[in-house]
Amino acid sequence: HINPEIGKLRLSQLRADHLNLLYSKKLDAGLSNRSVEMIHGILRRALNKAVKWGLLPKNPTDMASPPSVKFKIPSTWTSDELRRFLDSLKDDRWAALYYLACTGMRKGEILGLPVKALDIDKGNLMVIQTLQFLPGKGLLILEPKTERSRRLIRLPEFVREALKDHLTRRAALAQSPAWKETGLVFTTNIGTPISPRNMLRHFKQKLTSIGLPNIRFHDLRHTTASLLLEKNVHPKIVSELLGHSTVTLTLNTYSHIINPMSSVAADAMDEIVGQ
C-alpha cells in the first residue's frame, strides 16, 4: 500500500500532505479506518528511525491526519457456545486446528505451525512462523507478526490429545506417493499448505450447521482472552499468551471485561477496612 504511492519520494521531499493523500486514496479504495491507521503506524515507526539516525529533522507523520478509529467490543462466544462448537468437532479432521485457536493463536500462526515447533511429550509449542496469502505471490511462510508474537504456548490437555490424534492421521497420509512434505502440522491430504480461504469456508459451514452465532475465526482468539479474563487470569498472562506487543494493548482491547472487575478491589478494601 505504501510503496506504490510514496516509495519513490526522497525523505527530504516527504511532507504531511503526501501522507494525507495516501490515507485518502486508501479510504476511497475501500480500506477500513483501522487498516489506514495501521499504515500510518508503520510509517510513523519507520520515520522515527529516520529522525533518530539524522536523516530527517522531524517526522512528517506528526503533522499528518490519519482517520480516527472507534473502539469496537470484540464479538465473542460464551463458554457454553464454545463448548458446543468444540463438541461438534470430535470427528472432524481439522478438530485440532480449531482446538489450537483456544490457545489464542492467530490463524496464520496455526496454519504455519511446523511439526518441529511442537513438543507433544512436554505439552507445548513455539510460535516461530506464520502462513500468509499475499496477492500475486500466493501462500508464503513469514516471520511472526511482532517479536512478542514469537512465544512459547503451554497446551491444555484437550488440545494436546487432539494434536496427538492429528499427527497420527498425518503420518498415515504421509505414506502416500502423492505426499509433498512441507513440515507443517496442518496440511491438505497431500501435504500442501491449507489455504486460509478454504479453512474460513469450512469454519463458516460449521457455524451454520450447528446454529451458533456468526463470528470471525479471529474472534475465537477474542473469545479465549475474554473467557480467561472473566476467570480472573492476570492480564499479563493473557497478553503473553496472545503475543500482544504490550500488556497495554490487552488492557485496551478487553477493557469492557477488565473495568467491571475493579469492583473486586472495592470489595477487598471494604473487607480490609471492615466497614
Side-chain angles (χ1 to χ4, degrees):
H1 292 295
I2 297 171
N3 276 342
E5 301 293 339
I6 61 174
K8 293 183 179 180
L9 286 173
R10 299 182 67 85
L11 281 174
S12 59
Q13 298 174 313
L14 190 60
R15 302 188 308 272
D17 58 305
H18 291 128
L19 304 181
N20 290 335
L21 180 60
L22 165 66
Y23 304 153
S24 295
K25 283 186 176 181
K26 293 305 169 181
L27 290 170
D28 292 343
L31 266 67
S32 67
N33 283 24
R34 173 60 179 155
S35 294
V36 176
E37 194 270 342
M38 289 174 68
I39 289 174
H40 173 76
I42 291 168
L43 282 167
R44 179 173 55 81
R45 290 192 297 274
L47 296 173
N48 274 340
K49 288 287 188 183
V51 173
K52 181 178 180 180
W53 295 339
L55 302 175
L56 274 178
K58 56 186 177 180
N59 191 332
T61 62
D62 293 339
M63 285 76 75
S65 302
S68 59
V69 179
K70 295 181 180 179
F71 174 74
K72 181 180 178 182
I73 295 177
S75 299
T76 58
W77 281 338
T78 64
S79 56
D80 287 340
E81 288 168 336
L82 180 60
R83 197 174 295 112
R84 278 179 56 197
F85 175 66
L86 297 180
D87 287 345
S88 74
L89 296 168
K90 288 182 177 177
D91 297 322
D92 194 288
R93 69 186 182 94
W94 285 356
L97 185 155
Y98 294 115
Y99 283 15
L100 266 183
C102 295
T103 66
M105 291 178 69
R106 300 176 177 90
K107 173 183 62 182
E109 293 171 346
I110 296 172
L111 294 179
L113 178 65
V115 175
K116 66 181 181 182
L118 183 61
D119 191 330
I120 287 292
D121 292 335
K122 291 183 179 179
N124 57 45
L125 63 81
M126 278 294 298
V127 176
I128 59 174
Q129 62 186 35
T130 181
L131 179 74
Q132 299 291 336
F133 175 81
L134 298 182
K137 296 183 179 179
L139 294 174
L140 298 175
I141 295 293
L142 303 173
E143 291 290 310
K145 185 177 180 181
T146 66
E147 189 56 38
R148 289 290 295 276
S149 296
R150 191 184 297 272
R151 64 199 186 278
L152 175 72
I153 292 179
R154 181 72 181 176
L155 299 171
E157 188 59 27
F158 76 95
V159 178
R160 180 171 172 266
E161 290 299 320
L163 282 168
K164 285 172 67 175
D165 292 341
H166 176 82
L167 291 177
T168 299
R169 289 193 295 272
R170 184 188 185 282
L173 289 171
Q175 301 304 312
S176 167
W179 182 263
K180 299 175 182 178
E181 186 57 64
T182 57
L184 298 176
V185 172
F186 299 105
T187 68
T188 64
N189 287 336
I190 60 170
T192 54
I194 294 172
S195 165
R197 182 179 298 178
N198 291 341
M199 188 272 290
L200 293 178
R201 186 183 301 116
H202 182 269
F203 176 63
K204 293 298 183 181
Q205 290 171 348
K206 273 290 178 184
L207 300 193
T208 301
S209 67
I210 55 183
L212 281 170
N214 185 25
I215 64 173
R216 303 171 304 160
F217 183 87
H218 191 75
D219 291 328
L220 292 176
R221 175 174 160 89
H222 290 314
T223 294
T224 296
S226 298
L227 294 175
L228 289 175
L229 290 168
E230 287 172 358
K231 282 289 187 180
N232 293 322
V233 176
H234 196 284
K236 174 67 172 174
I237 296 174
V238 175
S239 178
E240 291 178 354
L241 180 67
L242 298 177
H244 278 169
S245 55
T246 65
V247 71
T248 303
L249 176 57
T250 309
L251 294 171
N252 289 341
T253 304
Y254 303 104
S255 59
H256 61 292
I257 296 173
I258 296 170
N259 288 343
M261 291 178 183
S262 61
S263 61
V264 175
D267 294 342
M269 283 306 299
D270 277 334
E271 184 178 337
I272 292 168
V273 176
Q275 294 182 351

